[in-house]
Amino acid sequence: MNTPSATQRAPEPDGRVLVFGSVNQDLVLACRHLPTAGETVAARDPLHQPGGKGGNQAFAAARAGARVSLIAAVGEDAAADIALGGLAAAGCDMSGVIRTHRPTGLAIVAVGPRRAGDDRTDNQIIVSPGANNDLDDAAVADALLANAVLVTQNETPAAGIGRLHARAAASGAVVVHNAAPARGADDLPLAPVNHLVVNETEWAAFAGATLDPDAPDAALAAAIRSGRSAAGLRPDQLVVMTLGAAGALVADAAGLIRQPSAPVPVVDSTGAGDAFVGAYAAALARGAEAARALAEGVAAGGLACAALGARAATPDAAAIRRAAAALPAAHRIPLDAIS
């Protein structure tokens, strides 16, 4: 079987990860079970923790060994100190964080099984963006973009993200966009994006249909080929899809690489996706091919589920390498072999 071109990379990064995105204070509530509509449930004592996809991904990339700069917006309030907690200590350059008149973003995170007696832990999240809505690409100097790995998400205004992507592409940056939470497919031009990171639900915003992460390789590959066409992706643009307990995959127009995960005990999966993105970007920044970045992302995402909170169990580079070495072997399938 030929190796798909999803293992190729361009342009060439210089070791830096630039994260442009949201930071929040997370109010985490552990419940016996998640509430249904109209239901009141009791929770343990609340945990006030740092969060936001931008902050979480910057923290994860720094823990994975990258040189990280964070561009974000917070309020002039006590919640900002919680939202930014731990980032500087992890090694993130915080000089790009701005203060605005709005309150710092807030996320209320309920964690527990979907119903009493279930073994599987899930979550429900409500976000008030606050100062994140003031973040604009004008906060990013052109010098920061050149040859960096730029990481963005969907928790700040789309117009600023789109302008930043265009500037980054012109500056020789590698653009990694995590299209989470899902937005309409027309909200953000995809042309400058090198790596589009989605879960199976977020992919539906581009492809028009969700994917079954447990589907056989052939069915999954056929659905991705169809979805790439519907999304108007170029052959060189990579789709990176997280599949929960089933691992993740990376695909371009030629083929896909599917990386299974290893079984892990799940306390809280809230930060798993952000840990994946941070580790994936850190691997790209040091020059790793997409297949290796995928393995490190899967390893980091699994390890991040071991404690309550989005960053509580974010692994360091050594733990990621050990976990990646223990993963089941990845396998490849060319899309042109699918009828």
Side-chain angles (χ1 to χ4, degrees), residues 30-120:
C31 311
R32 288 189 176 182
H33 68 275
L34 297 176
T36 58
E39 181 183 14
T40 299
V41 299
R44 300 174 193 164
D45 290 345
L47 298 176
H48 297 268
Q49 298 182 333
K53 298 191 76 63
N56 294 343
Q57 291 174 11
F59 184 80
R63 290 278 289 163
R67 292 186 290 126
V68 178
S69 296
L70 174 64
I71 310 296
V74 296
E76 296 177 344
D77 51 23
D81 295 332
I82 296 174
L84 299 175
L87 287 164
C92 296
D93 172 12
M94 306 294 286
S95 60
V97 176
I98 63 173
R99 301 267 180 168
T100 84
H101 69 283
R102 295 182 196 248
T104 297
L106 173 67
I108 300 174
V109 184
V111 179
R114 295 184 181 182
R115 57 188 65 84
D118 279 0
D119 293 331
R120 179 182 175 184

Side-chain angles (χ1 to χ4, degrees), residues 233-319:
L233 295 177
R234 298 188 309 274
D236 62 306
Q237 291 177 287
L238 303 189
V239 173
V240 184
M241 188 176 300
T242 59
L243 301 170
L249 62 84
V250 59
D252 65 7
L256 68 82
I257 303 167
R258 187 167 185 176
Q259 175 61 68
S261 62
V264 294
V266 176
V267 175
D268 179 11
S269 62
T270 302
D274 292 336
F276 174 96
V277 174
Y280 183 89
L284 293 180
R286 70 168 192 270
E289 294 184 341
R292 177 62 193 181
L294 187 72
E296 294 189 13
V298 169
L303 292 171
C305 295
L308 191 64
R311 300 184 199 168
T314 303
D316 63 14

Side-chain angles (χ1 to χ4, degrees), residues 3 17 64 67-69 78 149 160 196 208 220 234-235 253 271 281 285 307 322 326 334:
T3 300
V17 173
R67 292 186 290 126
V68 178
S69 296
V149 173
L196 178 65
L220 199 59
R234 298 188 309 274
R322 289 193 299 269

Side-chain angles (χ1 to χ4, degrees), residues 175-216:
V175 179
V176 178
H177 181 62
N178 179 206
R183 282 176 173 165
D186 297 330
D187 283 358
L188 192 70
L190 293 180
V193 175
N194 302 107
H195 302 253
L196 178 65
V197 184
V198 292
N199 63 23
E200 62 270 24
T201 302
E202 292 151 2
W203 177 238
F206 301 99
T210 57
L211 292 181
D212 177 4
D214 299 318

